[in-house]
Amino acid sequence: MTAIAALAGLGTALPSRRVTNEELSRTLDTDDQWIRSRTGIAQRFWSAGVATSDLAVEAGRNALRSAGSDAVDMVIVATTTPDHACPATAPDVASRLGLGTVPAFDVAAVCSGFVYGLACAAAHIAADLAARVLVIGAETYSTILDPGDRSTSVIFGDGAGAAVLRAAGPGAPGGFLGFDLGSDGSLKDLIIIPDGGSRQRTSKGDPAGSYFTMQGKPVFRHAVDRMTESAEALLEKAGWTAGTVDWFVGHQANARILRAVADGLGVKSDRVIIDMDRVGNTSAASIPLALARAVTDGNLVPGDRVLLSAFGGGVTWGSSALVWPDVPAL
Ligand code: COA
């Protein structure tokens, strides 16, 4: 019998420095009212002197504790902000968590990274290549934002969220009920750091090319379309209707995007988990951070039907679904 992957633990980490809209409006031509009304974001956390792996280790440790586990067979870190271009961040995280010499690798799918990471973990479990996998979404976007660009600086935050997945039989609580993943590389320029890769290694004297750039309007449109289509495909796979979804936990890019996707799906707006007000857009960390918030707030309880959907640079997208198990968010 093919094993499925089930959620067994959930952990998070946030840097200590809280950055309010008010603080940003002191150096950028923006204001709290614009940021809140256009994005739903009220604050975010930015790390000072903390690397992505530091947040990943903390979230990973918490997820292992939540799962009551001190060993896994594999570590996957989803990130757009690795500690180094080379090597990957995951082996360092695995080593610092005392997980021995397990396979460890990074997933680069920008804001869809956590869902891609979950799918990789589930595939390894289904292929009997692993029985327990730690999947971490961790980001320090504060290190790649152009401090003078009001269209990106107000949106992104740092943080990490992690999940332990275990092999289980069909129907187990927390079992992932399938995945829908996709990409469209013809839209790669919508979200891009132009320099620093093999295409353009150095910035030729203009530092602008080394920063994260985003074309907000088209990204907004594609995010709504792709997340809606992908979540619909997942509902069909899971055999659920939109009306039976207890919580829609989408990538926390913009509250208006999430409301539009929920509308398109037919999920009621009070079933949408909103977390970007607290942490901004934390890219690959956003879905596990939002899940943990929903558990901590007492909204998400065992037995609830949860629909996940993300969209990110690449462009990439992905969705999954599960019935919430009895796991603490630490
Ligand atoms: N404060 C004040 N004004 C701002 C601003 C800010 N922080 N950022 C942009 N503006 C201005 C623009 O300059 C523009 O002014 P203009 O009309 O004089 O030219 C105006 O606000 C509208 O800009 P626009 O970019 O059209 O705003 P928008 O309503 O599309 O909102 C985003 C911008 C970025 C919030 C929105 O496009 C968005 O959320 N996109 C998707 C982002 C996303 O999902 N990213 C992650 C995907 S993984």
Side-chain angles (χ1 to χ4, degrees):
M1 188 182 60
T2 306
I4 64 155
L7 185 80
L10 187 65
T12 63
L14 287 170
S16 54
R17 192 166 111 66
R18 187 170 73 96
V19 178
T20 61
N21 292 346
E22 162 61 28
E23 178 178 340
L24 291 182
S25 65
R26 275 181 240 139
T27 50
L28 287 166
D29 181 15
T30 189
D31 57 75
D32 178 56
Q33 208 275 333
W34 191 96
I35 302 170
R36 274 182 205 259
S37 63
R38 303 309 293 162
T39 69
I41 296 166
Q43 60 172 42
R44 74 289 292 144
F45 294 85
W46 282 354
S47 57
V50 173
T52 293
S53 64
D54 301 330
L55 295 172
V57 165
E58 191 181 334
R61 188 173 290 123
N62 288 337
L64 290 166
R65 209 154 45 85
S66 161
S69 175
D70 57 7
V72 294
D73 308 314
M74 176 173 284
V75 175
I76 299 172
V77 173
T79 187
T80 312
T81 49
D83 284 14
H84 306 282
C86 167
T89 301
D92 179 38
V93 171
S95 163
R96 284 162 59 193
L97 284 171
L99 295 170
T101 55
V102 296
F105 58 94
D106 289 3
V107 164
V110 195
C111 299
S112 312
F114 189 73
V115 177
Y116 267 65
L118 291 177
C120 284
H124 278 89
I125 286 172
D128 203 18
L129 292 169
R132 251 168 207 274
V133 183
L134 177 61
V135 181
I136 307 173
E139 303 283 13
T140 48
Y141 264 63
S142 61
T143 61
I144 57 169
L145 293 172
D146 177 349
D149 180 359
R150 66 177 181 175
S151 71
T152 52
S153 275
V154 304
I155 291 175
F156 292 90
D158 303 344
V164 174
L165 270 55
R166 66 176 173 90
F176 287 91
L177 303 172
F179 290 88
D180 176 78
L181 304 177
S183 75
D184 181 354
S186 71
L187 300 174
K188 74 177 167 61
D189 290 337
L190 294 185
I191 292 173
I192 192 167
I193 301 174
D195 300 346
S198 61
R199 174 76 58 201
Q200 179 63 52
R201 195 157 288 287
T202 58
S203 55
K204 290 189 175 159
D206 177 9
S210 61
Y211 288 125
F212 177 92
T213 65
M214 177 175 76
Q215 296 174 37
K217 266 210 190 315
V219 167
F220 190 109
R221 215 178 48 245
H222 288 294
V224 171
D225 291 349
R226 292 305 190 178
M227 284 170 74
T228 307
E229 285 165 18
S230 178
E232 263 167 1
L234 217 288
L235 285 176
E236 200 173 315
K237 264 186 200 166
W240 294 357
T241 59
T244 65
V245 171
D246 292 302
W247 296 110
F248 171 54
V249 184
H251 166 52
Q252 305 284 312
N254 186 314
R256 291 185 295 134
I257 292 178
L258 292 187
R259 279 197 291 271
V261 174
D263 243 28
L265 291 171
V267 171
K268 289 207 187 95
S269 59
D270 63 356
R271 301 283 99 196
V272 179
I273 295 294
I274 296 290
D275 190 35
M276 79 282 287
D277 59 336
R278 176 183 70 121
V279 296
N281 178 346
T282 56
S283 194
S286 93
I287 284 185
L289 281 169
L291 287 169
R293 161 99 173 264
V295 172
T296 307
D297 286 354
N299 290 322
L300 178 51
V301 295
D304 280 353
R305 289 179 166 204
V306 183
L307 177 63
L308 311 176
S309 190
F311 178 88
V315 298
T316 56
W317 58 87
S319 300
S320 191
L322 71 163
V323 175
W324 196 251
D326 192 5
V327 297
L330 300 178

